[in-house]
Amino acid sequence: MNDWSPRTRAIAAGRPAGAGKPLNTPIVPASTFYAGGDHTYAREEGTPTWTALEEAVGALEGGKATSFASGVGAVAAVLDLFPAGAQVAVPTFSYAGTRGLLDHAAEMGRLKVRRIDPADTAAWAVAAEEADLLWIESPTNPTLELIDIAPLVGHRARVVVDNTFATPLGQQPLSQGADIVVHSATKLIGGHSDLLLGITVTADDALAEELVHARTRTGATPGALEAWLALRGLRTLPVRFAEQSKSAALLAERLAEHPAVTKVAYPGLGTMIAFELPDAEAAAKVCESLELIVHATSLGGVESLIERRAMWPGDAHVPAGLLRFSVGLEDPEDLWRDLRNALG
Ligand SMILES: *Cc1c(COP(=O)(O)O)cnc(C)c1O
């Protein structure tokens, strides 16, 4: 398994083995199991369907995976490991749901939160020495800024990386020394906009056990169907990611040349583009004028989605004319025609 490429692991990891076994892990809708085996009560040790998904994601990220009801459920479980008064550093522009959880914890007096500009490497270095937890997104949602992980590990703070945008195909933070990787499998891992699911992965066995306990405590357990769908989605992640990234690179290049577009952020890898129009009105008009690209929130599916992020209260500080564009699996020339028409 270890010398297989990620593309092969995505296909073969977590697959049942043995004569007469089904090729695909069954959907096991069970809350409890006969006593004396690996599983007792589903909220405690999970179900065979979760286990198969966890084995596959763990094989890609290089650690032990734990699945949760949603990405935010996984984020909350990680934060649950830190004691009252812990200091957390988070990028100024980063996933609004994570910042919402952190702001709430700060308001309730549980955590101390510092927001740091992703580009301020000096401030991140200071936080690595002073804080208890660095919450890293790279690329960030929705501005697609990058944070260099390697210089931030091995200091006082634990390092958690939300790897939703890069996926394990783009980067494996555990191999760079990060303590925990978090995924919203709702996005690229699932890949079909048909489920909610979150995952944590860590190479530290004690930490992995703590995360399972956090799931048991908080009850943020995935559904049997969702875990099965996420594993089914994961099987094609490498080809989807490669193809959608290729289209994203092409479209980012064309957007950068378009006179109506004032700025394009595309870090060179991945399926997401952030681009700006002069103001909220111009950006909203593009969303309304598209025919093929769907005006909707979320990302990472086979269908292209676009939205103006600043319309959400949690992202009100994002540039008003910024559009977050999730590039799907459609023909990129059809996507470009749609964009060009909408840009006018
Ligand atoms: C969507 C998202 C989440 C939250 O995941 P849900 O599955 O919606 O709960 C966390 N982090 C990032 C970067 C996301 O895009």
Side-chain angles (χ1 to χ4, degrees), residues 121-193:
T121 47
W124 282 102
V126 169
E129 296 296 350
E130 291 180 355
D132 298 286
L133 166 61
L134 303 187
W135 191 278
I136 293 177
E137 270 177 32
S138 186
T140 55
N141 181 0
T143 45
L144 303 180
E145 291 159 286
L146 301 178
I147 298 172
D148 198 358
I149 299 165
L152 301 176
V153 303
H155 303 277
R156 179 177 190 272
R158 292 274 200 174
V159 174
V160 177
V161 179
D162 184 330
N163 209 23
T164 299
F165 276 28
T167 85
L169 282 325
Q171 69 185 359
Q172 289 131 19
L174 300 181
S175 73
Q176 298 190 51
D179 296 289
I180 300 174
V181 161
V182 170
H183 277 284
S184 170
T186 307
K187 314 291 171 54
L188 278 140
I189 288 179
H192 295 75
S193 307

Side-chain angles (χ1 to χ4, degrees), residues 31 39-47 50 212-213 215-216 221:
S31 60
H39 297 278
T40 56
Y41 189 61
R43 182 160 50 72
E44 306 267 339
E45 297 94 11
T47 73
W50 307 1
V212 172
H213 290 322
R215 177 178 66 189
T216 304
T221 52

Side-chain angles (χ1 to χ4, degrees), residues 61-86:
E61 287 286 9
K64 275 199 175 149
T66 306
S67 48
F68 292 84
S70 65
V72 163
V75 175
V78 172
L79 297 181
D80 200 49
L81 304 185
F82 289 82

Side-chain angles (χ1 to χ4, degrees), residues 282-293 295 338 341-344:
K285 188 146 183 295
V286 169
C287 294
E288 287 157 22
S289 313
L290 291 161
E291 283 180 15
L292 172 61
I293 299 166
H295 181 203
D338 197 31
N341 289 343
L343 287 165

Side-chain angles (χ1 to χ4, degrees), residues 41-270:
Y41 189 61
R43 182 160 50 72
E44 306 267 339
E45 297 94 11
T47 73
T49 321
W50 307 1
T51 305
L53 170 67
E54 290 164 356
E55 275 179 26
V57 175
L60 282 171
E61 287 286 9
K64 275 199 175 149
T66 306
S67 48
F68 292 84
S70 65
V72 163
V75 175
V78 172
L79 297 181
D80 200 49
L81 304 185
F82 289 82
Q87 292 208 21
V88 185
V90 64
T92 319
F93 296 104
S94 53
Y95 177 61
T98 301
R99 280 186 291 99
L101 266 179
L102 287 170
D103 289 348
H104 180 70
E107 275 162 30
M108 302 303 277
R110 282 198 289 271
L111 297 174
K112 297 195 178 96
V113 179
R114 283 188 202 186
R115 291 189 182 189
I116 302 179
D117 184 332
D120 192 346
T121 47
W124 282 102
V126 169
E129 296 296 350
E130 291 180 355
D132 298 286
L133 166 61
L134 303 187
W135 191 278
I136 293 177
E137 270 177 32
S138 186
T140 55
N141 181 0
T143 45
L144 303 180
E145 291 159 286
L146 301 178
I147 298 172
D148 198 358
I149 299 165
L152 301 176
V153 303
H155 303 277
R156 179 177 190 272
R158 292 274 200 174
V159 174
V160 177
V161 179
D162 184 330
N163 209 23
T164 299
F165 276 28
T167 85
L169 282 325
Q171 69 185 359
Q172 289 131 19
L174 300 181
S175 73
Q176 298 190 51
D179 296 289
I180 300 174
V181 161
V182 170
H183 277 284
S184 170
T186 307
K187 314 291 171 54
L188 278 140
I189 288 179
H192 295 75
S193 307
D194 54 6
L195 63 94
L196 284 164
L197 195 135
I199 299 177
T200 60
V201 197
T202 176
D204 178 331
D205 285 350
L207 210 46
E209 210 168 297
E210 280 186 55
L211 285 160
V212 172
H213 290 322
R215 177 178 66 189
T216 304
R217 261 196 315 274
T218 58
T221 52
L225 176 63
E226 283 77 2
W228 188 89
L229 282 170
L231 179 56
R232 183 184 166 113
L234 181 74
R235 299 300 189 208
T236 56
L237 174 65
V239 279
R240 283 186 284 109
F241 188 71
E243 204 57 31
Q244 290 172 225
S245 298
K246 209 161 70 183
S247 297
L250 176 81
L251 295 171
E253 210 170 283
R254 293 192 186 166
L255 281 167
E257 285 163 7
H258 197 284
V261 175
T262 55
K263 193 176 166 189
V264 177
Y266 181 70
L269 175 77

